[in-house]
Amino acid sequence: MEKVVKNKELVKKSSTVPFQNERNGTPRNRKWLQPQANIPYKLYLGISISSIVLLFAIWSFLTYGGLVDPLFLPTPTQIIDSGIILFTEYGFINDIAITIYRVLAGFIVAVLVGLPLGILMGTFKVVEAFFEPAISSIRYMPASAFIPLFILWIGVGELEKITIIFVGTFFSLVLMTAVEVANVRRELLEAAYTLGRTRFGVLRSVILPASIPGIMEIIRLILGWAWSYIIVAELVASSSGIGSLILESQRMLKTGNIIFGILTIGLLGLLSDLILKVAIRKMFPWHYGR
């Protein structure tokens, strides 16, 4: 009887001790080392900030320490001075506005045309069979390769730059949307048919609600690609925009202006990404609360 009581006490004590990993003795509740496990928000934020601080520290060490020629990599102070001069003397805010307009115009047109086409391709195999071969082929052609043709066909105005953004984002958007729609579970469609839904009723009440959160994430991803294509669009035959400023600064060996222009595009892209990310999570909280 005493042995049974002792065994029960040992089991009770052992159950209060966190599970130890057999190899390294790591407690089970230390989940921040487990694959895909969530970590506390403060820890996540601290790690993110520390990576930026580390990058800035390395940059400062190389430049302020004189290890790198300022012609190739200016100091952070020189970059800030270049930015102040661009805003106060060269009207850089106008270049930013023009670049934002070109990116949004080309991207919005790509979404308005490509989203319905991608949904139809993912829903109806007949539509996919007709459009998929051509779209897949063109998708592998770099947008920059079309620049000579666009200049020949539509000139060097705003339409040419917007078209480059459109071509750079449209085809991938269509195919990724089609894949997202096609991945809707077949069981949901069968259940809708059993309940008496028509073909287009299934599209409206099942396919679209199930795939829209994923489609919005695709739109967010493609918007990042649009910001990368704006440099290609503005480097050729352009007298305005951030890309034009970068090219002109390269000719004048103004490295500070080049880096400030690149950082500006990065910040604009990051800001647009954060806005979309917050909006998507507000619109579909049930999808991200799984």
Side-chain angles (χ1 to χ4, degrees):
M1 186 68 179
E2 292 180 358
K3 288 184 179 181
V4 173
V5 173
K6 289 182 179 179
N7 289 335
K8 288 183 177 180
E9 290 178 354
L10 289 175
V11 170
K12 188 178 294 184
K13 289 181 180 180
S14 62
S15 63
T16 60
V17 179
F19 175 78
Q20 301 288 324
N21 187 290
E22 294 181 358
R23 293 186 177 181
N24 53 22
T26 303
R28 186 177 182 179
N29 57 6
R30 190 172 295 176
K31 295 182 178 180
W32 56 278
L33 289 179
Q34 295 181 7
Q36 297 186 357
N38 292 325
I39 62 175
Y41 176 75
K42 291 183 178 180
L43 176 62
Y44 186 95
L45 184 62
I47 295 174
S48 301
I49 294 175
S50 64
S51 65
I52 298 175
V53 171
L54 178 61
L55 180 62
F56 184 80
I58 295 174
W59 179 15
S60 300
F61 174 75
L62 293 176
T63 54
Y64 289 119
L67 300 177
V68 179
D69 192 321
L71 177 63
F72 301 104
L73 182 63
T75 64
T77 305
Q78 292 172 328
I79 299 296
I80 295 174
D81 292 339
S82 298
I84 293 174
I85 293 173
L86 288 175
F87 278 109
T88 57
E89 299 182 11
Y90 293 95
F92 188 56
I93 191 68
N94 294 327
D95 291 315
I96 292 177
I98 292 172
T99 295
I100 292 175
Y101 162 73
R102 290 166 178 167
V103 170
L104 292 182
F107 177 72
I108 290 174
V109 173
V111 171
L112 292 178
V113 179
L115 209 58
L117 180 57
I119 292 173
L120 292 176
M121 287 176 59
T123 305
F124 303 106
K125 290 297 182 180
V126 173
V127 180
E128 178 184 350
F130 183 81
F131 285 102
E132 198 272 339
I135 292 178
S136 295
S137 300
I138 299 175
R139 183 172 70 96
Y140 290 103
M141 302 177 187
S144 56
F146 289 92
I147 292 178
L149 281 176
F150 293 155
I151 294 176
L152 180 64
W153 290 344
I154 57 181
V156 293
E158 291 298 313
L159 183 58
E160 178 259 345
K161 297 166 182 58
I162 293 173
T163 304
I164 292 174
I165 302 298
F166 173 83
V167 171
T169 56
F170 171 76
F171 300 100
S172 295
L173 174 64
V174 171
L175 292 178
M176 294 174 70
T177 301
V179 171
E180 179 68 24
V181 171
N183 284 336
V184 174
R185 292 168 54 190
R186 184 70 183 177
E187 295 85 351
L188 298 177
L189 306 184
E190 297 295 341
Y193 287 132
T194 302
L195 294 174
R197 291 287 184 178
T198 62
R199 294 188 180 97
F200 285 96
V202 168
L203 172 61
R204 184 181 66 255
S205 61
V206 178
I207 294 177
L208 288 180
S211 59
I212 280 180
I215 291 175
M216 292 301 297
E217 289 291 351
I218 292 171
I219 291 176
R220 176 186 163 201
L221 175 66
I222 297 296
L223 179 57
W225 297 1
W227 281 107
S228 64
Y229 280 115
I230 189 60
I231 292 295
V232 176
E234 293 183 340
L235 283 180
V236 179
S238 179
S239 58
S240 59
I242 301 176
S244 174
L245 171 74
I246 291 174
L247 181 61
E248 183 179 350
S249 299
Q250 183 266 332
R251 292 169 180 165
M252 303 297 293
L253 297 179
K254 295 182 178 180
T255 313
N257 292 357
I258 296 173
I259 295 178
F260 190 83
I262 294 172
L263 291 176
T264 302
I265 291 178
L267 288 175
L268 291 173
L270 178 62
L271 179 61
S272 63
D273 182 78
L274 290 176
I275 292 174
L276 266 182
K277 181 178 181 179
V278 172
I280 292 171
R281 291 182 180 272
K282 291 290 185 181
M283 289 188 293
F284 310 106
W286 51 268
H287 182 75
Y288 297 96
R290 295 178 301 178

